[in-house]
Amino acid sequence: YLKNTHAYYQDKRPLEIDTSIDRIKEICGHTNPIWFPVKLFWMKFITDLQHHIYEEESRLLPIAEYLMNKDTKAEKAPACLSVNHVAELKEILEEHEDDDLERGIGKFVSFVKDDYPDLEELMYVKVLILQLEVFQHDLEIHRRVEEEAFIPMLAELAGL
């Protein structure tokens, strides 16, 4: 599930939202006051999301694979994990608690609604807001799967 949603969040969802942002630029023009903050927010958000996914897939998922297979297939995991996977896992989990990607979307949607109420009525701005709210909800589900199922399972396997 986590790998599949990561792929979706990197490949499909950003393109849909990029298209909406481009339509806002086409309709409103690049000099419209809403276009630049929207584009800037989205570029930063995508960078943060890609970093989050990279960290999970390069650090957390290998440890998870090691812990889930340590009794039967330990040779598949990198050798360094067998020595310090518990310390690494603790560090990753602490960093993960501070991650709030979906809350960033909510703050941005509030910013658009509060600071640009006249533009909120434009169809393409409405579409963008709806897309962002759906993405926020998807990220919340993803976070809950991690925090309520995946991470507790890893903590138990690691003896934390």
Side-chain angles (χ1 to χ4, degrees), residues 122-149:
L122 293 173
M123 185 184 81
Y124 291 106
V125 174
K126 282 184 177 184
V127 169
L128 176 64
I129 288 172
L130 289 171
Q131 287 175 312
L132 289 171
E133 288 172 342
V134 168
F135 196 18
Q136 179 183 14
H137 181 73
D138 287 350
L139 290 170
E140 176 69 22
I141 292 169
H142 182 90
R143 184 187 58 76
R144 288 188 62 197
V145 167
E146 289 176 346
E147 291 180 2
E148 295 175 23

Side-chain angles (χ1 to χ4, degrees), residues 35-52:
W35 182 81
F36 184 72
V38 166
K39 190 66 172 179
L40 190 62
F41 161 78
W42 188 243
M43 290 169 45
K44 182 183 178 332
F45 178 82
I46 289 300
T47 300
D48 292 347
L49 179 65
Q50 289 171 340
H51 176 75
H52 174 92

Side-chain angles (χ1 to χ4, degrees), residues 44-160:
K44 182 183 178 332
F45 178 82
I46 289 300
T47 300
D48 292 347
L49 179 65
Q50 289 171 340
H51 176 75
H52 174 92
I53 290 171
Y54 173 79
E55 286 293 311
E56 281 188 7
E57 292 195 355
S58 67
R59 294 177 67 203
L60 185 60
L61 294 182
I63 292 172
E65 184 176 330
Y66 170 76
L67 290 171
M68 290 187 292
N69 296 312
K70 70 180 181 181
D71 294 331
T72 57
K73 300 178 184 169
E75 68 278 356
K76 282 187 164 183
C80 63
L81 290 181
S82 62
V83 176
N84 65 2
H85 64 273
V86 173
E88 176 81 0
L89 182 60
K90 281 183 182 179
E91 180 182 323
I92 293 168
L93 298 182
E94 287 171 7
E95 292 169 4
H96 197 270
E97 288 176 359
D98 296 332
D99 210 338
D100 63 348
L101 287 167
E102 69 273 5
R103 286 186 278 291
I105 291 177
K107 288 178 185 175
F108 181 73
V109 167
S110 295
F111 161 75
V112 170
K113 289 179 176 181
D114 295 343
D115 289 15
Y116 301 99
D118 53 324
L119 296 176
E120 183 187 352
E121 294 305 313
L122 293 173
M123 185 184 81
Y124 291 106
V125 174
K126 282 184 177 184
V127 169
L128 176 64
I129 288 172
L130 289 171
Q131 287 175 312
L132 289 171
E133 288 172 342
V134 168
F135 196 18
Q136 179 183 14
H137 181 73
D138 287 350
L139 290 170
E140 176 69 22
I141 292 169
H142 182 90
R143 184 187 58 76
R144 288 188 62 197
V145 167
E146 289 176 346
E147 291 180 2
E148 295 175 23
F150 185 64
I151 290 173
M153 177 195 68
L154 293 181
E156 183 179 330
L157 289 171
L160 299 178

